[in-house]
Amino acid sequence: MPRVVLALGDDVSTDVIYPGRYMATVLPSETPQFAFADDVEFNGRLTAKQVPAGSVIVAGRNFGCGSSREQAASCLQGHGLVIVAKGFARIFLQNAINLGLAVVTAPEVETSEGHDLEILADRVVDRTSGRSFAVEPLPRARQAIIDAGGLIAYTRTRVSRADTRR
Amino acid sequence: MPGMVQGGEAMGMTVVEKILARASGREAVRVGDVVEPAVDLAMSHENAALVVNRFLEVFEGTGVAPRIWDPARIAIVFDHRVPAESPKTATNQRKVREFVAANGIGRFHDIRGDVGGICHQVLPENGYVRPGAVVVGTDSHTTSHGALDAFAFGIGATEMASVWALGVALNVEVPATIEVSVRGRFPDHVGPKDLILHLIGALGAEGANFRVLEFHGETIRSMSTSGRLVLCNMSVEAGATSGLVPGDEETVRYLRAEARVQEPLHLVVPDDDAAYERTIEVDVATLVPQIACPHTVDNVRPIAAVEGVRVHQVVIGSCTNGRLDDIEAAARAVRGRKVAQGTRLLVFPASARIYQQAVERGFVADLMRAGAVVMNSGCGPCLGVHEGALGDGEVALSTTNRNFKGRMGNPRSEVYLCSPDVAAASALTGAITDPRKGT
Ligand code: SF4
């Protein structure tokens, strides 16, 4: 069962998730090494591969506020992390959906590091504390992109269709 | 424009609703509708390197040759790391240059002393942003361009690749609009930066998330485009999708006189009965200088709360407050005086054009004689990637727009945000200083 590996507060900015000084690194295959780079302990665990894919970061409101840098989403996705937050900043949420990073909005979520979570379509259940939290659906405008498997795949279908029309 | 009829009730449209209706070929739209607006201008900076990769990926395996929908509508401005700080950045920039040449992208601003600068100044001053336009940019402060009556918002690099391929912004949900109604005259040494910091403090960092801030009122009407850009630039710090100032005489004056636009302009203004989610009223007559304290932009206090805090580095510039009026204010404040020992004053104009004007008017000489370092136009210390980084335990006071932990290159430092007047007064004393008191 997915375990909470990091519990954060409100307004975690992209400068914290992926510091600006690593922005020259753009390839999704290279960004994961700098995830939470200034949190030496957590970054160390990630880069030492001590955090299994599917592990959960829990955060408060406005996760991913700040810059539009897509590295902030790709660096987390590269480690197979799931982000459960009370809320997300707009651009980060879009980037996450576009890249296929797993994000779950649970406005009331309260849990702690080390707890085991079960993530269902409509709720998140903390199996350690026994509490359950409702999940807010993602913006409906984005569902087609998720269904297609991300924005590249979605755009690809549109590009090929446009070509047949011509 | 006719209001739309929904459930028998006629409802007017806000500016963003009108722009999105036009751009998606509809009579009317309302909040929550999902639309695909045609994009008028698509801006990137160095992160165009990533956009190029993603753009090519889109076409992989489709049998369709990669083709940009309209190279004339793409703007690329090198600003984040100029001149390049590392071989990696320089190589990214080289690749983008090659792509620009191969694809005939017209609005390319390389690292130059004539037409270079920060994207959020280069676009307006060259007349690329027009009233009624849909502008997307791979930068969160793309909100700035709403100062010219456009709907302008930030997107990620993959989404930009999709725009390059299709020419539309995909699956945009029409955002709700908050009306911000501003009245009163600014007291001396108080201005647009204090107003927007005050608003961000009141709204909170996500108070306008998924919403547009539409600015109205006598104070806005008499504000220059330079000031309006400050308001729209920082709207994103309250989470807003965009800031927006409906077009008026000043919009036309700026576009004609400063951006040298000759084509007809079509201003977009809201209907009288536009449906706002809510209205926030502000009277600036009693406003005092505002300071955003570490480490969030919404941690805003009146200057009295932090006066006297020792500062090691004062930064004046950026896409927020690096325009000619900002540099003039700083130059006047320090003319004939000296930056305090132990404090560094870094000034970086928002564009090469502004830099030239500041040289011609003697502002650069004033600043240098006082001890300021006037740096090239670019993002520089704002994001602390290659110049102007802070030492452990140091404190900066800056006219930029973000103070998140690590923003100025070092998570073990602190950044306070303020207006150019406060910054200049504080550079002279080496501590946060209220410019209204005289120093
Ligand atoms: S000056 Fe700062 S806020 Fe403006 S575009 Fe550059 S990095 Fe972003």
Side-chain angles (χ1 to χ4, degrees):
Chain A
M1 192 168 291
R3 179 157 292 178
V4 178
V5 289
L6 186 66
L8 301 163
D10 293 342
D11 302 320
V12 174
S13 82
T14 53
D15 283 316
V16 169
I17 302 166
Y18 194 91
R21 58 187 187 279
Y22 303 115
M23 272 166 69
T25 299
V26 296
L27 295 178
S29 56
E30 294 177 8
T31 57
Q33 60 185 310
F34 302 122
F36 288 94
D38 289 332
D39 181 341
V40 177
E41 196 272 332
F42 185 62
N43 176 269
R45 275 198 280 156
L46 286 175
T47 49
K49 306 252 177 277
Q50 290 163 1
V51 177
S55 296
V56 179
I57 293 178
V58 168
R61 307 184 62 86
N62 209 24
F63 183 84
C65 62
S67 148
S68 65
R69 69 189 69 148
E70 202 163 279
Q71 291 96 324
S74 71
C75 74
L76 302 177
Q77 194 212 14
H79 291 291
L81 293 164
V82 177
I83 318 300
V84 176
K86 290 181 178 162
F88 293 91
R90 182 187 66 89
I91 304 177
F92 181 87
L93 183 64
Q94 284 189 198
N95 284 340
I97 292 167
N98 291 342
L99 299 184
L101 166 67
V103 286
V104 178
T105 307
E108 309 292 333
V109 69
E110 296 293 344
T111 178
S112 307
E113 273 172 41
H115 284 205
D116 291 319
L117 298 190
E118 189 176 0
I119 299 171
L120 304 165
D122 62 340
R123 64 190 196 280
V124 169
V125 184
D126 184 328
R127 290 293 173 200
T128 309
S129 70
R131 296 175 69 190
S132 167
F133 309 94
V135 165
E136 201 173 85
L138 292 168
R140 63 193 171 93
R142 299 281 139 187
Q143 198 55 48
I145 293 166
I146 297 168
D147 294 345
L151 186 61
I152 294 278
Y154 179 83
T155 306
R156 191 174 285 152
T157 63
R158 300 269 301 250
V159 165
S160 353
R161 257 194 289 143
D163 193 59
T164 28
R165 266 212 312 272
R166 243 179 261 143
Chain B
M1 187 173 277
M4 80 170 200
V5 179
Q6 181 87 24
E9 211 181 304
M11 262 192 6
M13 288 195 281
T14 65
V15 174
V16 69
E17 287 165 351
K18 286 188 175 183
I19 293 175
L20 285 175
R22 195 264 316 149
S24 40
R26 299 217 211 167
E27 266 292 291
V29 298
R30 60 179 303 159
V31 174
D33 284 356
V34 178
V35 293
E36 256 183 24
V39 168
D40 297 294
L41 182 65
M43 184 279 293
S44 293
H45 44 73
E46 275 91 338
N47 60 17
L50 180 52
V51 181
V52 169
N53 286 342
R54 303 304 254 172
F55 173 73
L56 297 175
E57 238 178 274
V58 164
F59 291 87
E60 270 169 25
T62 61
V64 182
R67 201 179 63 105
I68 289 184
W69 109 99
D70 188 354
R73 292 184 187 276
I74 295 180
I76 296 178
V77 183
F78 285 164
D79 56 10
H80 272 54
R81 297 178 295 276
V82 294
E85 89 295 355
S86 67
K88 193 167 196 168
T89 292
T91 304
N92 280 344
Q93 289 172 345
R94 199 203 80 203
K95 285 184 187 155
V96 173
R97 248 177 233 118
E98 288 165 3
F99 185 87
V100 162
N103 289 275
I105 291 168
R107 294 166 170 183
F108 175 54
H109 292 257
D110 208 332
I111 303 163
R112 294 180 63 102
D114 49 1
V115 295
I118 305 172
C119 55
H120 305 309
Q121 176 60 22
V122 166
L123 263 50
E125 78 181 17
N126 283 285
Y128 299 163
V129 182
R130 306 288 173 83
V134 173
V135 180
V136 294
T138 45
D139 190 278
S140 55
H141 294 105
T142 301
T143 54
S144 305
H145 310 290
L148 290 167
D149 196 20
F151 176 45
F153 58 102
I155 61 176
T158 300
E159 202 151 347
M160 184 58 85
S162 177
V163 171
W164 283 11
L166 304 172
V168 295
L170 291 173
N171 301 341
V172 172
E173 237 171 299
V174 177
T177 300
I178 298 173
E179 179 185 34
V180 181
S181 177
V182 189
R183 65 170 191 277
R185 250 184 76 123
F186 285 112
D188 284 352
H189 299 296
V190 179
K193 183 63 165 286
D194 303 294
L195 167 59
I196 191 66
L197 286 176
H198 167 76
L199 265 172
I200 293 162
L203 280 163
E206 63 161 0
N209 204 8
F210 295 99
R211 285 160 179 79
V212 168
L213 295 179
E214 195 181 283
F215 293 95
H216 287 272
E218 60 187 29
T219 315
I220 307 299
R221 297 277 75 88
S222 59
M223 189 183 287
S224 68
T225 297
S226 177
R228 295 172 180 189
L229 283 161
V230 175
L231 302 183
C232 294
N233 177 275
M234 289 198 71
S235 293
V236 69
E237 306 309 331
T241 303
S242 193
L244 208 152
V245 179
D248 62 6
E249 280 169 29
E250 163 60 15
T251 315
V252 175
R253 183 206 65 78
Y254 178 85
L255 288 170
R256 296 270 184 250
E258 298 193 38
R260 298 159 209 161
V261 172
Q262 276 153 19
E263 294 92 331
L265 299 170
H266 305 287
L267 302 183
V268 184
V269 295
D271 290 323
D272 291 339
D273 58 344
Y276 295 104
E277 188 182 66
R278 64 187 171 117
T279 297
I280 298 171
E281 309 229 6
V282 186
D283 185 345
V284 299
T286 53
L287 199 63
V288 302
Q290 305 283 305
I291 311 283
C293 302
H295 293 284
T296 56
V297 187
D298 63 350
N299 185 14
V300 176
R301 313 227 186 118
I303 190 162
V306 288
E307 253 182 295
V309 170
R310 162 111 169 78
V311 292
H312 305 89
Q313 177 162 298
V314 175
V315 175
I316 299 177
S318 82
C319 60
T320 313
N321 281 116
R323 275 171 275 275
L324 195 63
D325 53 344
D326 303 316
I327 291 170
E328 177 173 13
R332 284 190 195 285
V334 304
R335 184 176 295 160
R337 315 184 61 182
K338 289 286 178 196
V339 171
Q341 289 299 328
T343 297
R344 315 176 285 276
L345 174 57
L346 309 182
V347 180
F348 62 117
S351 72
R353 186 188 292 181
I354 290 171
Y355 199 132
Q356 284 178 24
Q357 290 166 340
V359 169
E360 283 157 16
R361 296 182 195 197
F363 304 151
V364 170
D366 290 336
L367 288 160
M368 290 178 73
R369 282 193 198 105
V373 177
V374 184
M375 311 162 79
N376 66 296
S377 178
C379 299
C382 176
L383 80 167
V385 170
H386 79 302
E387 50 186 357
L390 298 169
D392 288 358
E394 284 196 325
V395 175
L397 178 67
S398 175
T399 71
T400 53
N401 51 30
R402 286 203 170 126
N403 62 350
F404 301 136
K405 200 170 232 191
R407 178 70 182 183
M408 220 167 258
N410 187 343
R412 291 166 300 279
S413 66
E414 292 187 326
V415 180
Y416 291 80
L417 304 177
C418 68
S419 71
D421 284 36
V422 171
S426 305
L428 295 172
T429 59
I432 295 180
T433 298
D434 189 335
R436 297 170 305 169
K437 293 183 179 166
T439 48

